[in-house]
Amino acid sequence: MTVLTRRNLLKATAAAGLAGIGASTIARLTGVAAARPEPVILKTSNIEAKLMEAGPTRNVLTYGEAGPPPVVRMRKGEPFAARLINGIDDPTTIHWHGIRVPNKMDGVPFMIQPYVYQGDHFDYAFTPPDAGTFWYHPHCNTLTQTGHGLTGVIVVENPNDPEFDSEVAINLRDWRLGDDGQFIEQFRPRDAARAGTYGTVRTANWLDQPQYDAPAGGLVRLRAAITDVTRIYAFRVDGAEAAVIALDGNPVPQRFAPDALQLGPGQRLELAIRMPDDEGAIVSLRDVRGTKPKILATLRSAGKSLKRDLRDLGPLEANPVAEVDIAGAGRIPLALSATAENVSADSICGTLGYSFWAINKVPWPGDTPDPTAPLAELKLGKSYIIDMENLTPHSHPIHLHGMSFKVLSSSTRQVQPLVSDTYLIQPDEKVQLGFVADNPGVWLLHCHIIEHQKTGMTSYFRVV
């Protein structure tokens, strides 16, 4: 389900059979208290789907029996449970991207949990500490499984949030399809060694430029998750007043217009949009990066104007992320670089067969029970600052599992002190990211352009 309004929420939830909605949310909607959450069932399956005019695409992967993976809804501070059932012939896991879960729930094969074979299941249970927009995906054979469809949006609700008139959740992703509508090779080595291999068909919620009705003159909360394996976006809204209210699951310190805002794979955008007063008026969410701008999705004003004012929208409540002690923080140097091309060894979750990238001059050897040494051993509860430098001519969305950081400074631009789990570092940029090592375990840090991740730009911290 992608659109919620106060009037249709209960009706739409019933029609969807409550699929993909957390038990705590079900209890709130129905008024029935749930002592223990019923697990959301996320079963992987291989389906056919209509992704382009050429006809149904075979070997599309999803959670469920048909269509895109469900939007999974949780509630901040309330227990959540999910059961992954693997119905495909490839081992898999689930990573809850951006949610600060306990380490054993992080879904990284063999560093954290065994992968799930066909016919087996794994039970995830955690209490999300933060509200916002997140997403879920495999962390095994990632390029193929996410590239074929296993990416879903997560909404963690906060009852203290300001009131909107409707909500739209959008899953943004490419597909590598040929003219016949069937999958072609997921990557090309020459592109993996550069910016990455782009898809040929672009979708929002598996559709080309879907349109959603929203109350005329109302305030819409638009949540967009970039679940693509490669593409970097530059967002713009046409036809209405819009403000960025949150990035990567956290409120922005100061709201601003999405004027060609660049975000990369793994990142999430939340917009407050004031719909036009005129019924039938169209609002467009566009990607203006590159030489071929693309309308991603549209909103259509419907009904009599509610005459809301964007300036009356109250602030989002900050998430309980520990404040970094800059004066007492340890320093972690982190250099992103290319590496001499070589053939990589096989790994638990597959290999692309090459190494092109490195962190601190060390290319990741692949997913193994005994990987390279960690970037650093971190003391539980201590503050750290990552001094990250991009020595490459390409942008990299660097994602940290298990913890959130604050953007402290950049060598190339003015930055807001954003709290995030993914930072899109530009070529030749140096950036300082501060965080508190408050979640014990081993936590991956990697580029979320999946070809870069799988060809060397991966490492991890150990928090003890």
Side-chain angles (χ1 to χ4, degrees), residues 59-219:
N59 298 319
V60 176
L61 302 180
T62 192
Y63 299 94
E65 300 300 326
V71 176
V72 172
R73 292 186 173 267
M74 311 175 188
R75 241 187 159 196
K76 177 182 177 180
E78 295 188 7
F80 171 81
R83 170 167 288 189
L84 167 63
I85 301 173
N86 190 10
I88 61 176
D89 59 4
D90 200 18
T92 193
T93 63
I94 291 179
H95 170 59
W96 309 90
H97 183 113
I99 300 180
R100 297 184 291 145
V101 297
N103 197 224
K104 64 182 180 179
M105 297 287 105
D106 197 43
V108 178
F110 288 90
M111 283 187 72
I112 307 300
Q113 70 163 88
Y115 51 36
V116 181
Y117 289 95
Q118 185 179 34
D120 289 343
H121 72 271
F122 187 90
D123 290 323
Y124 294 92
F126 53 86
T127 298
D130 305 320
T133 305
F134 306 91
W135 65 295
Y136 61 104
H137 64 85
H139 231 284
C140 189
N141 293 326
T142 318
L143 185 62
T144 297
Q145 292 187 14
T146 60
H148 280 235
L150 284 180
T151 64
V153 178
I154 299 170
V155 172
V156 182
E157 300 172 340
N158 184 347
N160 297 324
D161 276 354
E163 184 178 357
F164 291 82
D165 300 298
S166 67
E167 178 181 291
V168 179
I170 295 179
N171 181 339
L172 296 172
R173 53 165 303 125
D174 287 10
W175 307 83
R176 292 272 299 156
L177 305 178
D179 292 341
D180 61 354
Q182 304 311 311
F183 282 104
I184 57 178
E185 288 296 323
Q186 281 295 126
F187 83 104
R188 294 176 296 209
R190 68 179 181 275
D191 291 332
R194 297 170 183 164
T197 308
Y198 286 89
T200 60
V201 174
R202 303 181 62 181
T203 62
N205 295 336
W206 291 24
L207 300 170
D208 180 26
Q209 301 180 28
Q211 181 170 281
Y212 303 102
D213 282 355
L219 299 182

Side-chain angles (χ1 to χ4, degrees), residues 237-447:
V237 173
D238 293 330
E241 184 183 4
V244 177
I245 60 173
L247 290 172
D248 300 336
N250 290 277
V252 296
Q254 184 176 348
R255 294 175 180 177
F256 59 94
D259 186 15
L261 171 66
Q262 285 199 41
L263 297 175
Q267 296 195 269
R268 291 86 65 204
L269 169 68
E270 290 188 38
L271 295 172
I273 299 175
R274 200 280 188 183
M275 293 297 294
D277 292 309
D278 296 333
E279 183 164 8
I282 301 297
V283 179
S284 299
L285 177 68
R286 299 173 63 211
D287 174 19
V288 296
R289 190 171 189 263
T291 58
K292 295 182 179 180
K294 166 76 173 176
I295 294 176
L296 304 170
T298 59
L299 305 174
R300 188 181 74 93
S301 288
K304 184 178 178 181
S305 175
L306 300 181
K307 300 188 183 300
R308 297 288 300 275
D309 192 322
L310 196 60
R311 293 169 295 183
D312 294 336
L313 188 67
L316 300 180
E317 188 175 71
N319 287 320
V321 177
E323 188 65 36
V324 60
D325 173 16
I326 296 176
R331 311 292 292 214
I332 304 171
L334 197 156
L336 309 175
S337 65
T339 188
E341 179 183 336
N342 59 74
V343 177
S344 62
D346 198 10
S347 66
I348 290 167
C349 278
T351 177
L352 302 192
Y354 300 89
S355 290
F356 297 124
W357 305 98
I359 295 180
N360 288 354
K361 299 183 179 180
V362 178
W364 184 249
D367 303 304
T368 70
D370 185 24
T372 60
L375 277 171
E377 295 266 4
L378 308 183
K379 183 178 179 181
L380 184 64
K382 182 176 172 59
S383 292
Y384 293 90
I385 295 175
I386 299 173
D387 293 303
M388 186 162 62
E389 181 177 11
N390 184 3
L391 302 174
T392 82
H394 303 288
S395 300
H396 301 282
I398 300 299
H399 172 53
L400 175 63
H401 288 215
M403 295 172 285
S404 297
F405 53 73
K406 177 181 282 187
V407 181
L408 302 177
S409 65
S410 166
S411 64
T412 62
R413 51 195 161 133
Q414 289 283 98
V415 292
Q416 287 198 39
L418 299 166
V419 175
S420 180
D421 52 79
T422 308
Y423 184 82
L424 181 63
I425 189 168
Q426 304 295 334
D428 302 317
E429 182 181 8
K430 297 178 182 178
V431 66
Q432 286 71 47
L433 308 174
F435 69 102
V436 178
D438 56 0
N439 202 349
V442 290
W443 299 106
L444 284 188
L445 180 141
H446 63 86
C447 180

